[in-house]
Amino acid sequence: MTTKMQKQIIKIICCIILLILASFFPFPQKNYQSAVYIIAYFIVGYDVIKSSIRNIFHGKFLDENFLMTIATIGAFFIEEFPEAVSVMLFYQIGELFQNYAVDKSRKSVSDLMDIKPDYANVYRDEKTIKVSPEEVKIGEIIGIKPGEKIPLDGIVIEGSSHVNTVALTGESVPKKVIVGEEV
């Protein structure tokens, strides 16, 4: 989890606490309750409001930040403070989940890139030589030793083994491969 996501979680938690406080705690004056809602709103919505204002000056004013800002400010004008804060809160929770999913996807792609081997053991002229996977020609025989990564797609022509496919399938149990199977 990134520092940005941690800050976002802290803002969301603070907003929830203030929202609950403002909604269920009896205040001596309505102004105090409104002030708590406004504080909660600015805690959770500051980034959205800032982005909205910045985008207006760059000529991109009909984006999601602008629309969220207008909707919540409108709720404040009709004195629906809990709704304004709740809308901004739920928007930020959605953004948090989106950022989490994007980070997880990036990590998955990065993990896939890590499975790319640096070399292939190719049998040429009755010798085994190490070459870049890009240099292997179609139809050449590749030898794979225990613990090595499979450099290219192919068909097992001799032997059997267990292959770690966790980066491709998410399955942590090694897959058994035998003669005739694709790897």
Side-chain angles (χ1 to χ4, degrees), residues 17-18 21 27 31 40 42 49 61 67 74-75 93 98 112 115 123-124 126 129 147 149 152 155 160 162 164 171 177:
I17 291 168
L18 290 173
L21 178 71
F27 287 93
N31 292 344
F42 280 110
I49 296 166
F61 58 89
L67 296 173
I93 290 172
Q98 177 182 330
L112 278 174
I115 67 170
Y123 296 114
R124 291 183 184 161
E126 298 182 24
I129 58 170
K149 298 173 185 172
L152 299 163
I155 298 173
S160 66
H162 288 84
N164 181 359
E171 182 64 43
V177 291

Side-chain angles (χ1 to χ4, degrees), residues 159-175:
S160 66
S161 186
H162 288 84
V163 178
N164 181 359
T165 60
V166 71
L168 298 172
T169 64
E171 182 64 43
S172 60
V173 178
K175 177 185 174 200

Side-chain angles (χ1 to χ4, degrees), residues 49-120:
I49 296 166
K50 185 174 104 178
S51 294
S52 174
I53 293 169
R54 185 178 60 239
N55 289 343
I56 288 171
F57 288 114
H58 289 101
K60 299 183 264 179
F61 58 89
L62 285 179
D63 66 346
E64 61 189 19
N65 296 312
F66 177 76
L67 296 173
M68 289 301 301
T69 303
I70 293 299
T72 54
I73 289 174
F76 272 113
F77 276 120
I78 61 171
E79 295 186 9
E80 293 295 339
F81 301 122
E83 284 77 5
V85 175
S86 297
V87 165
M88 193 62 79
L89 174 65
F90 292 135
Y91 176 75
Q92 290 288 30
I93 290 172
E95 287 289 307
L96 177 69
F97 284 133
Q98 177 182 330
N99 291 340
Y100 177 75
V102 167
D103 286 349
K104 197 164 175 117
S105 295
R106 281 191 184 123
K107 185 182 178 327
S108 294
V109 169
S110 176
D111 289 347
L112 278 174
M113 296 308 290
D114 286 343
I115 67 170
K116 181 183 175 205
D118 299 326
Y119 63 90

Side-chain angles (χ1 to χ4, degrees), residues 120 122 124 131-142 151-152:
V122 180
R124 291 183 184 161
V131 297
S132 169
E134 291 83 16
E135 296 176 24
V136 177
K137 296 177 183 83
I138 296 175
E140 286 190 299
I141 297 174
I142 301 170
L152 299 163

